[in-house]
Amino acid sequence: MKEPSFWYISASTNPLQRLFLTGLSTLFRFGAAVKKTLTRTRTVDKPVICIGNLTVGGAGKTPVTLSIAQYFKGQGKKVAIISRGYKGKLNGPLLVNPTMHTAQDVGDEPLLLSLSCTTWISANRYKGAKAAIEKGADIILLDDGLQHSTLKQDLKICVIDARRGFGNKKIMPAGPLREPLDSGLERVDAFIVVGNADVHRLTFDEIKKPLLQATISINKDDWAVLKNKRLVAFAGLANPKKFFETLRLEDFNVQHTISFPDHHFYTEEELKSLQQTAKEYCADLVTTQKDWVRLPRNLQKNIHQLRIQLDYEERHLFKGLLDSFDKKEEGK
């Protein structure tokens, strides 16, 4: 799905369109409420941290999830990430093996996460958590699970794209929200804003819970490899412009950019076309790490990936949030 521009800019819909979209939003909200009512929430005997969004599209959940996993691993914890495996053909519960599974099997995000941390896919989060705990997990991280209630969550963290905020604050499809903003703000325990929070300061002033700010930086090795090359960049993300802007802000020599739908699996024809375009510009191809894991393995060596990491502006706040949660769980 391509995000409509009116989700993030001032009114560009006519009255009839607004009325139609509002009606669909009401149906979406009703359907979500019914589903939640009918869903049984179950508990596991290990702490569960959920990292998700109140909006659709990319906000930075993957690097936030990895940063939390790395922190607890540094504390000697056995961490397991549970993902639904979006766009993968396997349902699980299944332990992701990055040397054996492909993005078509388990989804691009779980495959990417599995390169750094033990990762499971499971359409049913409770069953996934149970399987991970049986294999020794001390702590469960739910990737993109704020709107899923099959498993009790002990700490709910909402990730926000600083440039987009909550958009027009309307529920899909009239806006980008997955649920009503007021109820979402109330039930989330902490927020992490990725990017320059001053852009949406008025929006974030509504938040009365712990609010952390983080920025994305480029892997130094990748920067060194790419800094003197001519580049053709491509990406299949919810917001590919963010990737292209990052490249230009880092003064990479970007000759051309090509966008694809979010979580796109590239066809042989598309890959040949990309290679031809790069040849025409006398350039190398570069893409995001999430796109790179979706490429056929025999082509990965010919296409650069740009890896990123998350830097917290006040690291002690991030540490304090997780430490206080850890101590609370140990005291139970």
Side-chain angles (χ1 to χ4, degrees), residues 2 46-47 53 60-61 64 67 94 136 151 168 170 172 174 176 187 207 212 217-218 244 251 257 281 290 314 316 325:
K2 185 177 180 180
K46 297 294 181 180
N53 305 80
K61 291 188 304 296
V64 168
S67 70
L94 175 70
L151 179 63
N168 61 12
K170 298 182 183 297
M172 290 180 62
R187 68 190 186 85
I207 297 173
L212 286 66
S217 62
I218 294 172
F244 303 145
D251 293 324
T257 62
Y281 282 93
K290 191 180 294 186
E314 296 179 281
H316 67 281
F325 167 77

Side-chain angles (χ1 to χ4, degrees), residues 83-190:
S83 173
R84 64 172 169 155
Y86 180 66
K87 287 239 175 172
K89 61 186 179 184
L90 302 177
N91 289 323
L94 175 70
L95 177 62
V96 179
N97 183 336
T99 64
M100 183 177 71
H101 295 125
T102 65
Q104 286 84 351
D105 293 328
V106 299
D108 54 3
E109 290 174 351
L111 188 61
L112 175 55
L113 291 166
S114 73
L115 297 173
S116 302
C117 183
T118 300
T119 302
W120 293 72
I121 60 162
S122 183
N124 184 301
R125 308 302 176 96
Y126 170 74
K127 290 182 179 179
K130 288 286 288 184
I133 292 168
E134 287 173 4
K135 293 294 184 180
D138 295 322
I139 187 166
I140 300 297
L141 302 186
L142 286 188
D143 174 49
D144 195 14
L146 278 181
Q147 286 74 38
H148 299 271
S149 52
T150 57
L151 179 63
K152 182 179 181 296
Q153 302 162 9
D154 301 295
L155 177 65
K156 302 179 184 69
I157 296 175
C158 175
V159 184
I160 308 170
D161 180 340
R163 296 195 63 184
R164 293 184 161 196
F166 300 117
N168 61 12
K169 302 183 182 180
K170 298 182 183 297
I171 297 173
M172 290 180 62
L177 288 177
R178 298 179 176 188
E179 60 180 282
L181 183 58
D182 53 355
S183 62
L185 293 177
E186 182 178 347
R187 68 190 186 85
V188 168
D189 300 302

Side-chain angles (χ1 to χ4, degrees), residues 272-284:
K272 286 181 179 178
S273 177
L274 286 168
Q275 291 171 322
Q276 180 60 35
T277 301
K279 186 177 181 180
E280 292 170 0
Y281 282 93
C282 299
D284 286 16

Side-chain angles (χ1 to χ4, degrees), residues 6 11-21:
F6 62 79
S12 60
T13 56
N14 59 51
L16 185 60
Q17 187 179 23
R18 283 198 297 273
L19 180 63
F20 176 68
L21 291 173

Side-chain angles (χ1 to χ4, degrees), residues 218 226 229-237 239-261 266 270-271 273-289 291-292 294-295 302-306:
I218 294 172
L226 297 171
K229 293 183 180 293
R230 293 164 59 90
L231 300 172
V232 168
F234 69 96
L237 305 171
N239 182 20
K241 288 183 179 179
K242 186 195 295 187
F243 171 59
F244 303 145
E245 288 173 1
T246 297
L247 289 171
R248 291 183 171 121
L249 287 172
E250 292 292 333
D251 293 324
F252 287 115
N253 186 6
V254 180
Q255 298 293 309
H256 187 64
T257 62
I258 305 169
S259 299
F260 293 90
Y266 298 96
E270 288 168 340
L271 291 169
S273 177
L274 286 168
Q275 291 171 322
Q276 180 60 35
T277 301
K279 186 177 181 180
E280 292 170 0
Y281 282 93
C282 299
D284 286 16
L285 288 170
V286 63
T287 191
T288 70
Q289 191 177 17
D291 284 277
W292 191 83
R294 296 199 300 269
L295 299 173
N302 299 321
I303 297 175
H304 299 287
Q305 59 173 318
L306 194 71

